[in-house]
Amino acid sequence: MMRIDILTLFPNMFTGVFNESILKKAQEKKAVSLNVINFRDFADNKHKTVDDYPYGGGAGMVLKPQPIFDAVAHVTKDSERPRIILLCPQGERYTQKKAEELAKEDHLVLICGHYEGYDERIREYLVTDEISIGDYVLTGGELGAMVIVDSVVRLLPGVLGNEASPVHDSFSSGLLEHPHYTRPADFRGMKVPDVLLSGNHRLIEEWREKQSLKRTFLRRPDLLENYPLTEKQKRWIEEWKKEEQ
């Protein structure tokens, strides 16, 4: 069973997210243990302060190293090789590939910052990874931690009903996912493509491959820069380029 510890100043933010839908079911199935810890409880001063003014002056407050170091020591005392992740705008941009990498770990510790930033010694001496969920700034790391937990847990064995589901997700193959349709076949004059009703699995797979590639070509061409295109896929792209012209 994977263990994920989240260190935060606002543990109540996680209550609804962790007790609904797939994350709730994953815990019931014993696929993951989700633990939310208030690192303010580890502050060694009588006022339980976790931040202080930055040396050298400047705006805002900085998280002190002591409470976070001690909180991490507490949750990792029985763990051999935990991944200790700092949620930070300066970190590596989060991707599906990173989610797949983290899903192979036994123990993750997510540190949710607040205020102006972290004491640099937390970055330098404590964490193994720094992750950003995008090129924007949030009020804290809690929402980023929720994103990481959700994206990782759904990849754990047995969590999703259909084991093939995560394999065909957008980004898992390097491309965006193909379109999906369900009943009815004709909804107010809007019809499902005939190929999906044909029963010909070879043609259906080729249609899905082509639609996946086309959606990526039109919406996220940057994903194709290092993608190993087949000759057939290259021909499709050339056809679409001619159509654009």
Side-chain angles (χ1 to χ4, degrees):
M1 179 170 62
M2 172 181 270
R3 173 180 171 182
I4 303 179
D5 294 308
I6 299 96
L7 306 185
T8 174
L9 294 173
F10 303 97
N12 291 337
M13 290 181 67
F14 294 86
T15 302
V17 175
F18 287 0
N19 287 284
E20 298 288 346
S21 189
I22 298 298
L23 293 182
K24 179 182 180 182
K25 292 178 181 178
Q27 294 173 85
E28 292 173 346
K29 291 179 179 180
K30 307 297 183 185
V32 66
S33 170
L34 301 177
N35 311 291
V36 183
I37 298 98
N38 190 336
F39 63 81
R40 190 183 298 278
D41 295 337
F42 293 86
D44 63 0
N45 59 83
K46 65 178 182 179
H47 298 296
K48 294 294 181 180
T49 58
V50 296
D51 61 322
D52 210 335
Y53 295 102
Y55 281 122
M61 304 290 281
V62 176
L63 285 170
K64 300 168 65 174
Q66 179 273 317
I68 293 178
F69 268 79
D70 286 358
V72 170
H74 174 76
V75 299
T76 61
K77 60 185 177 182
D78 298 319
S79 184
E80 291 185 6
R81 299 179 61 187
R83 292 284 287 271
I84 303 171
I85 299 166
L86 196 69
L87 278 299
C88 172
Q90 302 174 29
E92 169 190 355
R93 187 185 294 185
Y94 196 55
T95 63
Q96 182 67 22
K97 183 178 180 181
K98 190 71 172 183
E100 293 167 358
E101 175 189 326
L102 296 178
K104 298 174 183 177
E105 298 290 337
D106 295 323
H107 187 190
L108 303 179
V109 179
L110 307 180
I111 304 173
C112 305
H114 218 73
Y115 308 117
E116 185 63 24
Y118 302 93
D119 184 290
E120 188 66 18
R121 289 165 289 191
I122 296 170
R123 302 177 190 276
E124 190 172 355
Y125 296 105
L126 184 62
V127 305
T128 60
D129 302 81
E130 293 183 47
I131 290 177
S132 167
I133 62 167
D135 294 342
Y136 46 86
V137 179
L138 301 172
T139 55
E142 285 75 17
L143 294 176
M146 294 175 197
V147 167
I148 291 174
V149 170
D150 185 277
S151 61
V152 167
V153 170
R154 66 186 301 279
L155 295 174
L156 299 179
V159 169
L160 297 181
N162 184 348
E163 291 299 323
S165 292
V167 176
H168 297 294
D169 286 337
S170 291
F171 305 111
S172 291
S173 66
L175 302 176
L176 300 183
E177 195 172 12
H178 58 77
H180 293 277
Y181 295 88
T182 187
R183 298 176 184 175
D186 186 334
F187 175 66
R188 300 177 182 176
M190 297 174 279
K191 298 181 179 181
V192 172
D194 290 338
V195 65
L196 298 179
L197 308 176
S198 69
N200 188 320
H201 295 294
R202 183 185 64 80
L203 291 179
I204 290 171
E205 285 304 310
E206 183 176 76
W207 180 88
R208 288 175 170 169
E209 177 191 356
K210 190 172 185 178
Q211 292 298 315
S212 177
L213 182 65
K214 187 172 185 178
R215 183 161 286 187
T216 306
F217 170 74
L218 294 174
R219 300 184 182 188
R220 289 292 305 276
D222 57 294
L223 295 176
L224 298 177
E225 292 176 2
N226 298 308
Y227 186 79
L229 294 166
T230 65
E231 291 303 316
K232 177 176 65 175
Q233 291 172 332
K234 290 177 182 178
R235 288 196 300 271
W236 288 341
I237 290 177
E238 288 304 315
E239 290 174 7
W240 298 329
K241 286 181 178 178
K242 290 178 182 178
E243 290 174 4
E244 285 188 335
Q245 295 172 357

